[in-house]
Amino acid sequence: MPDEAGTIGLRVARYRPDTDSEPGWQEYDVPLRREWTVLDALNHVKNEVDPTLSFRWSCRMGICGSCGMDVDGTPRLTCGTFLADFAPGPIRVEPLSNFPVVRDLVVDIDDFIQKLPRVKPWIIRDEEKSVDEGEYLQSPEELDAYKQFSMCINCMLCYAACPVYGLDPDFVGPAAIALAERYDLDSRDQGARERLDVLIEHEGVWGCTFVGECTRVCPKHVDPAGAIQRYKLKAARESVKALLLPRGAR
Amino acid sequence: MTKRRVEPFVWLMFSGGGVVAAVFLPVLAFLFALAYPLGWLDPPDRDHLSAVVGNPLTILVLLGLFVLMLVHSAHRFRYTLYDGLQVKAKTTVAVLCYGAAAVGSVATVVVLVAAGFTS
Amino acid sequence: MNGVRTYRRPISTWWWVGKRTYFVFVMRELSSIFIAWLVVYLLLMIAAIGRGADAYDDFLRFAANPVVVVVDLVALAFVVLHTITWFGLTPKAMDVRAAGRPVPAAAVIASQYVGLVVVSAFVVWLVSR
């Protein structure tokens, strides 16, 4: 394939809250370059064609998690999504599903930001060691136990892919539950009970029907769907224990 | 102290029902719903089936299987109505689904015990 | 967000039609109806067995009715879909370990199919003797 093979169409969702009552479409033609991603194309539009187009981005290397958008109906990091894979186009670019649209391709992520701390994604100790006692040691095996779930970059593609979250915004959602699992599995952490108390609620893990789309769209292979099902099993095991064992025996 | 919630127990029954439906139902459905009625295989005679169904162990196993599968169905269908059809009357849906499973479970006891006595 | 008029996109009732994975998901969930139907069907049969040989023959005639056969064919197809998807999702939903090491997903799935074959063979042996 030559370096530049003509152009490709971008069909971009536009929403200007001051003038539009609902989003509409705008078409742009951009050079179809082999090394260009959808984000490169959007930046080309913004710099050369239409400076009013709004979207979020930062690192361009799949780690900041800001440039997530629906590309042809599937949530993706636009910095890792190549134009050539969608030739001949046109490519449909929309703001992430399930979030309110602020402007053009920018969504309001407040709901996610408020949900994250509810699962207490930090190391909880019954009693903190003093600095003098040194660090909490961890073996490579203990690291492996939670490493996969620690790869999350909070890009929210999983929320955009989750029909349950779309239909019931109270649902805590994939990334937050995967992150709870990440700390539960950490050998240094003792906060599993506190997180379980949050996630055993109705809007915790129980709304999930294991669609599995969160895992399919995750750019970091975190597998939130697996984490949620394991959480259900954990919640069930603890509930049965609480029912069968006398108080305080655990 | 873990909070007392009913969801974990319903989910356990849903999962158990999912497992037994996946393992037992294909052969039961194939034999009794297709192979025997359509004559692909000779149906077993009634006396033999009656003896099988009348065995207390069979009654217990079938009771467990059927109740779990009914709860499994009710639970799954409940969420299908929520998500697939976006039914908003969530409490009504839950009462109807689990209510149907409860009625079915009572019917299961009645049928199994009645069939057990006549064998 | 303060002072910003955000737009909430409505979700169509048919959100699951456009994408294959969503469609398979809803079909998988709809297997619940057919599992319930097969439980009812088997209960009707057991009740007929309990009532005697005539009732059992009547039941076999009812079961051979074309409408019932079609329903049962569809039901069996959905049950197979349930079995395949259920077995496939098990290694995702459970962290199966043997001797401290995670068991490969393929082994978990394969062992479930072995269970299916064993149970099926036992049921065939039991009812046909």
Side-chain angles (χ1 to χ4, degrees):
Chain A
M1 192 172 164
D3 203 38
E4 189 171 327
T7 60
I8 190 166
L10 282 190
R11 215 169 125 72
V12 180
R14 301 289 313 259
Y15 172 65
R16 284 139 299 202
D18 32 349
T19 54
D20 302 349
S21 60
E22 60 182 59
W25 295 99
Q26 189 157 352
E27 317 254 349
Y28 303 99
D29 270 328
V30 296
L32 176 55
R33 297 207 174 124
R34 191 178 49 185
E35 73 280 10
W36 267 22
T37 63
V38 172
L39 180 61
D40 293 323
L42 290 172
N43 272 320
H44 169 83
V45 170
K46 175 122 182 143
N47 295 335
E48 310 288 336
V49 186
D50 183 353
T52 67
L53 181 63
S54 299
F55 52 96
R56 283 199 186 104
W57 63 283
S58 178
C59 78
R60 292 173 297 160
M61 48 194 277
I63 198 63
C64 76
S66 340
C67 69
M69 297 168 208
D70 280 14
V71 181
D72 269 5
T74 298
R76 298 168 196 267
L77 294 181
T78 48
C79 70
T81 304
F82 286 85
L83 296 176
D85 293 337
F86 294 84
I91 308 175
R92 221 166 69 236
V93 185
E94 294 167 89
L96 282 182
S97 299
N98 300 336
F99 291 97
V101 186
V102 176
R103 182 182 198 92
D104 295 342
L105 299 167
V106 179
V107 292
D108 178 2
I109 62 172
D110 279 7
D111 182 57
F112 174 67
I113 299 298
Q114 271 157 24
K115 277 178 175 151
L116 263 187
R118 275 173 54 198
V119 301
K120 309 188 188 199
W122 51 79
I123 287 180
I124 298 172
R125 300 285 300 181
D126 295 338
E127 227 168 303
E128 285 286 349
K129 277 208 297 194
S130 74
V131 177
D132 297 339
E133 289 173 88
E135 56 276 76
Y136 299 110
L137 295 179
Q138 195 164 55
S139 70
E141 291 75 32
E142 287 169 333
L143 172 65
D144 277 345
Y146 68 82
K147 193 172 173 191
Q148 175 197 9
F149 298 116
S150 73
M151 304 308 278
C152 174
I153 57 172
N154 296 343
C155 64
M156 292 164 287
L157 299 194
C158 52
Y159 283 75
C162 175
V164 175
Y165 176 66
L167 296 164
D168 178 12
D170 289 335
F171 176 43
V172 172
I177 300 175
L179 209 52
E181 182 73 350
R182 175 249 173 278
Y183 282 94
D184 275 15
L185 291 172
D186 191 319
S187 59
R188 301 164 294 182
D189 180 81
Q190 298 168 324
R193 169 73 15 103
E194 289 181 40
R195 293 185 199 101
L196 186 61
D197 279 347
V198 176
L199 292 179
I200 204 169
E201 294 293 337
H202 182 72
E203 57 281 1
V205 290
W206 305 115
C208 169
T209 45
F210 209 167
V211 182
E213 195 67 7
C214 51
T215 293
R216 278 187 285 271
V217 301
C218 178
K220 295 292 168 186
H221 310 292
V222 171
D223 191 11
I228 299 172
Q229 310 322 309
R230 288 173 202 191
Y231 231 106
K232 288 180 187 168
L233 195 59
K234 180 157 44 181
R237 203 168 49 227
E238 293 301 319
S239 298
V240 170
K241 265 201 225 165
L243 189 72
L244 297 181
L245 294 179
R247 208 180 286 261
R250 279 164 291 121
Chain B
M1 192 66 203
T2 308
K3 287 185 193 173
R4 287 289 169 84
R5 307 278 322 186
V6 69
E7 284 93 342
F9 299 99
V10 177
W11 181 80
L12 268 183
M13 291 185 79
F14 160 79
S15 297
V19 172
V20 299
V23 173
F24 282 88
L25 219 40
V27 65
L28 289 174
F30 175 76
L31 288 179
F32 291 108
L34 295 172
Y36 294 150
L38 295 179
W40 300 346
L41 296 170
D42 277 340
D45 65 66
R46 181 259 166 193
D47 291 340
H48 171 61
L49 285 182
S50 180
V52 171
V53 166
N55 185 309
L57 195 60
T58 317
I59 295 179
L60 272 182
V61 170
L62 286 181
L63 180 64
L65 293 183
F66 287 0
V67 170
L68 284 178
M69 287 195 279
L70 287 170
V71 174
H72 169 90
S73 294
H75 186 72
R76 212 170 215 187
F77 191 57
R78 171 192 172 200
Y79 281 100
T80 311
L81 291 179
Y82 290 175
D83 300 340
L85 292 177
Q86 297 189 34
V87 178
K88 300 290 177 218
K90 294 202 166 186
T91 314
T92 314
V93 167
V95 168
L96 285 179
C97 287
Y98 296 125
V103 170
S105 299
V106 172
T108 303
V109 174
V110 171
V111 167
L112 287 176
V113 170
F117 269 120
T118 53
S119 71
Chain C
M1 270 192 197
N2 291 337
V4 178
R5 204 165 55 89
T6 58
Y7 181 80
R8 276 197 170 277
R9 290 159 286 177
I11 296 179
S12 153
T13 308
W14 303 101
W15 60 266
W16 46 276
V17 176
K19 190 181 263 184
R20 199 188 64 86
T21 49
Y22 288 158
F23 182 75
V24 171
F25 159 73
V26 168
M27 289 301 109
R28 182 191 91 193
E29 300 294 296
L30 282 180
S31 67
S32 55
I33 297 174
F34 296 95
I35 288 175
W37 155 248
L38 286 170
V39 170
V40 170
Y41 176 91
L42 290 171
L43 280 176
L44 289 174
M45 183 185 75
I46 293 169
I49 292 169
R51 282 202 307 274
D54 290 346
Y56 177 59
D57 289 340
D58 284 346
F59 178 83
L60 283 179
R61 265 192 296 279
F62 158 78
N65 179 304
V67 176
V68 180
V69 170
V70 168
V71 171
D72 284 342
L73 263 176
V74 175
L76 181 62
F78 271 92
V79 167
V80 170
L81 175 69
H82 167 76
T83 299
I84 293 171
T85 52
W86 192 271
F87 286 177
L89 289 175
T90 302
K92 283 193 164 297
M94 293 178 81
D95 186 23
V96 185
R97 283 170 183 275
R101 290 171 174 279
V103 178
V108 176
I109 295 174
S111 60
Q112 294 177 99
Y113 280 101
V114 171
L116 174 73
V117 169
V118 170
V119 165
S120 302
F122 174 76
V123 169
V124 170
W125 172 82
L126 183 71
V127 300
S128 55
R129 206 177 29 172

